[in-house]
Amino acid sequence: MRYISTRGGMAPQTFTQILLGGLCPDGGLAMPEHYPQVSPAELAAWRGLPYADLAYEVLRKFCDDIPAADLKALCAKTYTKAAFRTDAITPLKTLEPGLHLLGLSEGPTLAFKDMAMQLLGNLFEYVLARSGERINILGATSGDTGSSAEYAMRGKRGVNVFMLSPYGKMSPFQVAQMFSLQDKNIFNIAVRGVFDDCQDIVKAVSSDAEFKARQRIGAVNSINWARVAAQVVYYFRGYFAATRSNGERVAFSVPSGNFGNICAGHIARMMGLPIAKLVLATNENDVLVEFFRTGAYRGRPSSDVVQTSSPSMDISKASNFERFVYDLLGRDADMVKQLWSRVDMGGEFNLAGTPYFSSIADYGFVSGSSTHADRLATIRSVYENYGVMIDTHTADGLKVGLDHREPGMALICLETALPVKFAEAIREALGRNPDYPSGCENLESLPQRFELMDADAEAVKAYIARHSGV
Ligand SMILES: *Cc1c(COP(=O)(O)O)cnc(C)c1O
């Protein structure tokens, strides 16, 4: 399996060649040259597999330059009860017949990003040990991504993490998750500023090519191909858990921000998993809903991003969306390049009236958005009707999923975080505190370790140079 760029300007690469990279050299995103297909016989054989074995079967179709036995061992080491608190790894909770939540938040940071990031930590360590290289991961976070990356990379040989976060702007639980880590390879930098300041610093540091090369700066953001590939696995697992036979068709509802999660659903469907519908749910930041409704894709200036109670979906543009558009345009890389030359300049494109946009129904996508009031009402009704507490992001997905529910077809809503991460909204909805999963009760009282800095890229560079060990 080789990987090419959505913008056509990259010679084919192997899985491990693109593993540590971010954007392709031409600014595009890495994509497999073709989607591997899953035969009915394979689908039948996969139905009963434990999660780690299923992950191996799916991933080996995408990754053929790690020896099979090693890839199998990496999957077995990643998807354990010790890390994900349950043997199922992704437990299915049935609310009523035909309506399910797929639990993707049982990992160490209680959000779905662990599903891929935990594997990435082990893959990075394996590949770096093989080549004898080191990497310094630099990132900016407003919450879930940063903690997930830190818990995946903590203690890993060859890897340091420098994570910028806006000081005083994250939920107390998110802060405690990150800042209580005492591992020597994890560096939390709290920036006096907002999330955009953090992101600007990352951009400034990464655009200094000399510094980037010397300090071996890398990233683990949501466009990383291995993350998308690892997420494909739970669509298969969720399908098997919610159905009795491989003749059934299902709908998945996905709380969406950067389009990484639902992009994996699209790929699972392209591989042959019988998904009838992919329900894309956003909060008030609805660039993607606008596209699926009108054909116009218009990134917003970051000043127009609405701060919501489902903050991990507060985006101005959806960084993985280019992968889907590449498929929608019949993999015409020149056209993708042309469209994104406008998007990257802050402009827009519009596919309305083109045969591409008319073919969108063939891909199973439907969409809708949800508001703060919808989230609270959904959290309340799920708690009252089923005795189950859900978080705000999952509530967005469930709300929009139910709007598109079809009688006789199972609806599987992805649970992307646990309520304890967003306690304030739970108190507002239910008038009580969320439950603490075991092991997290004292997290907020542990000693915290972080460096407080001004929003100054040069100062951050100096800090990295002092601590990177390069
Ligand atoms: C990151 C995140 C999302 C959005 O996922 P994308 O892959 O960016 O679409 C949704 N919910 C939670 C809790 C998240 O952390």
Side-chain angles (χ1 to χ4, degrees), residues 111-113 144 255-261 312-313 391 393 416-417 422:
F112 92 95
K113 293 192 173 68
D144 292 339
S256 293
N258 274 317
F259 204 82
N261 195 348
S312 299
M313 293 155 58
D391 97 294
H393 305 76
T416 56
F422 305 98

Side-chain angles (χ1 to χ4, degrees), residues 171 173 419-429 432-434 436:
S171 82
F173 190 85
V420 68
K421 296 196 89 168
F422 305 98
E424 204 183 302
I426 297 299
R427 282 192 289 271
E428 194 181 343
R432 56 160 286 186
N433 280 318
Y436 275 70

Side-chain angles (χ1 to χ4, degrees), residues 1-50:
M1 175 64 75
R2 295 291 178 273
Y3 292 86
I4 52 180
S5 166
T6 50
R7 301 192 193 175
M10 179 175 82
Q13 309 265 304
T14 67
F15 183 88
T16 62
Q17 281 174 320
I18 59 163
L19 177 64
L20 300 176
L23 287 176
C24 298
D26 64 352
L29 306 186
M31 283 288 263
E33 271 183 331
H34 60 88
Y35 290 124
Q37 295 300 302
V38 179
S39 68
E42 275 175 311
L43 210 55
W46 289 4
R47 177 167 275 276
L49 292 181

